[in-house]
Amino acid sequence: MTGEDAVDRGDSPHILSDRPTNGGAETVEDDEGGKNGGFHAFWADTVADEIEARGVDDPIVIKGGVSPSGVAHLGNFNEIMRGYFVAAVLRDRGHEVRQVFTSDDKDPLRKIPRKLANADGEIVGLGDVDAGALGRNLGKPYTAIPDPFGERESYAAHFAALLEADAARLDIPVEMVSNTELYADGTFDSVTRTVLSDLDRVRDVLSAYQDKVDEEYVPFNPVCAECGTITETVIAVDVESETVEYVCTDMEVGDETIEGCGHEGTATFREGKLPWRLEWPGQWEVLDVDFEPFGKDHAEGSWPSGVDVARNVLGIEPPVPMVYEWFTLNGEPLSSSAGNIVTVPELLELLESDVLRYFFALHPKKARDLDIARLDQLVDRFDRFERAYFGEVDDPDLTAFAERAYPFVVGRLEDPPTQKPIRLPYTFAAVLGMVDDPAFRERLARDEGHIPDDASDEAVDAALARVEKARNWAERTENEYDYRLQTDLPDVEFDDDVAAALDDLADFVAAGHDGEAIQSEMYETARDHDIEVSDFFSAGYRLFFDDTQGPRLGEFLGELEREYVVRRLRREA
């Protein structure tokens, strides 16, 4: 493979299973004649095999979850997207599937986030909201804290609505589930009763995973009836009446202390919550979960403890797991506190939803960096993946992956695409973004051969929609495309030697040379006319941008309509 068909082998073949020894995409029959454990070009098929091998009944339940502690950023979307592809594959195989996403919204707010997101997903500082609504409610469940934007019934509801809106933006059918509601409606009663009925067994299991599990430890956190905070001090349990007696004591959060009010009271099982090590497997039981993906940070401690609790406390089998690698953003870990985050709405201002879905369709066990400055590379890879689906790329691995995964990525499983969309190269779209006139944009795209003569108006509009996204990318990153091309000839005058050099360059462009040749010729032309190279480039920038600087001018001119460039260099239009 050469040229654009050369590929980063790290992106292919995007599988979890091993390639069969004969090199073909075969499957392996199990004892019942079913086909499991074989080679798959798409990782989600391998996971679906493992779920089916369990012999689970429909509806198959796929779960993810998050604590509503700050901005709903792209990292929170990992589990939704990983779960979506597995759910879609199972539906394609004829299964009924529920994809649920739990909001652990009965957890206490332990610290004030530095940033929030408004209802449109835009990141804002605390100065733009009622930050006191958070500060006054440390230690209280998220569902008991007012929405600092004053729009939803609680902070938790605001956060859940953001995730639900993001899922809708990507056409992901997710069922949001509130932990608070699971306790309030009695769904968690049986789990809580099981846990508190055999405290010795629970203590024995938990002692392997956490400190401070002694003979006095009771794994239940009531909500104080006096001050509304979560307390960790239970002094008596009455399983028959499903109540606990408690004292509202201080909560240690890192180096900080959230003070308890000292109230002594009684709470029902529905007026408190289980600690997370018990609550997570408790969700598996009450929601009948069959599969759950989670980040590698949970793989070593959290998952083993959940398995232990599931089997040895609740008496259930844990769901099929899948550990995925966290991706980094701009080379650094995602961090709300450090401000290194990006939201789904922000990204959809820069690229199409299909491209974002493709990012999550890539191998989940490979670490990746989402570099906003090099977003063009991700879009280029998606475009190549799309071409592979339509048989235009000489790469068997990528083609096999695309043939299976592309309909899921573009949400067209029931009616797989038969005609390749028109895609403007992302950086060329950024070039067109320098132009304000839509008709001129289309003319330039047609002149460069990116839009066929017989393209429908709908197809043209869809192709040109990428221009504004690439324009937003240029502005956000302040890169070499962050300039505006002057549609009309600027009011400029040049010395005779510079004017003559511009005329000679116009003749060179008119002869049909490409951008790289034009760039080199600009240096030669300046020397031939005994003018400073910088002055000559400056003159070109004034003509095209009415500025003294801009992108690599020669290469840029090579992207534009030749007749337009020639006329502009001759100061005719």
Side-chain angles (χ1 to χ4, degrees), residues 462-518:
L464 290 174
R466 179 174 280 185
V467 175
E468 281 305 313
K469 295 184 183 295
R471 176 66 196 165
N472 293 336
W473 169 65
E475 291 178 340
R476 177 177 175 127
T477 59
E478 298 181 334
N479 63 21
E480 64 266 36
Y481 305 101
D482 189 19
Y483 295 93
R484 285 293 185 184
L485 183 67
Q486 297 296 305
T487 305
D488 298 323
L489 178 66
D491 184 15
V492 293
E493 293 184 4
F494 301 108
D495 294 338
D496 291 344
D497 52 352
V498 173
L502 290 170
D503 289 337
D504 285 353
L505 183 62
D507 294 339
F508 184 83
V509 173
H513 296 285
D514 64 15
E516 186 175 345
I518 296 171

Side-chain angles (χ1 to χ4, degrees), residues 365-397:
K365 293 194 175 184
K366 176 178 171 58
R368 299 182 185 279
D369 181 52
L370 182 63
D371 187 346
I372 302 299
R374 301 308 305 157
L375 212 57
D376 56 313
Q377 295 179 352
L378 174 62
V379 180
D380 289 348
R381 285 177 180 149
F382 165 78
D383 289 351
R384 189 172 185 275
F385 161 78
E386 186 171 65
R387 293 198 305 275
Y389 174 78
F390 289 98
E392 298 178 6
V393 177
D394 183 18
D395 181 339
D397 287 335

Side-chain angles (χ1 to χ4, degrees), residues 280-358:
W280 189 22
Q283 290 171 340
W284 300 340
E285 177 175 341
V286 302
L287 296 174
D288 198 19
V289 178
D290 298 301
F291 167 67
E292 180 159 6
F294 49 86
K296 63 179 183 178
D297 55 330
H298 290 305
E300 293 185 3
S302 305
W303 171 252
S305 74
V307 170
D308 204 347
V309 168
R311 289 174 175 161
N312 296 308
V313 175
L314 302 181
I316 63 170
E317 274 301 300
V320 172
M322 186 189 79
V323 180
Y324 57 80
E325 278 278 350
W326 290 108
F327 64 87
T328 53
L329 178 65
N330 305 324
E332 299 292 337
L334 286 161
S335 171
S336 296
S337 60
N340 193 46
I341 54 175
V342 66
T343 66
V344 169
E346 281 183 314
L347 274 179
L348 293 182
E349 290 290 318
L350 310 179
L351 44 72
E352 298 98 328
S353 59
D354 290 348
V355 181
L356 184 53
R357 287 157 65 112
Y358 162 77

Side-chain angles (χ1 to χ4, degrees), residues 550-570:
R552 286 176 59 84
L553 188 58
E555 295 179 6
F556 171 72
L557 298 182
E559 298 276 6
L560 301 180
E561 183 185 43
R562 186 180 306 150
E563 180 182 350
Y564 162 77
V565 174
V566 171
R567 288 172 59 82
R568 179 59 58 89
L569 288 171
R570 289 173 177 163

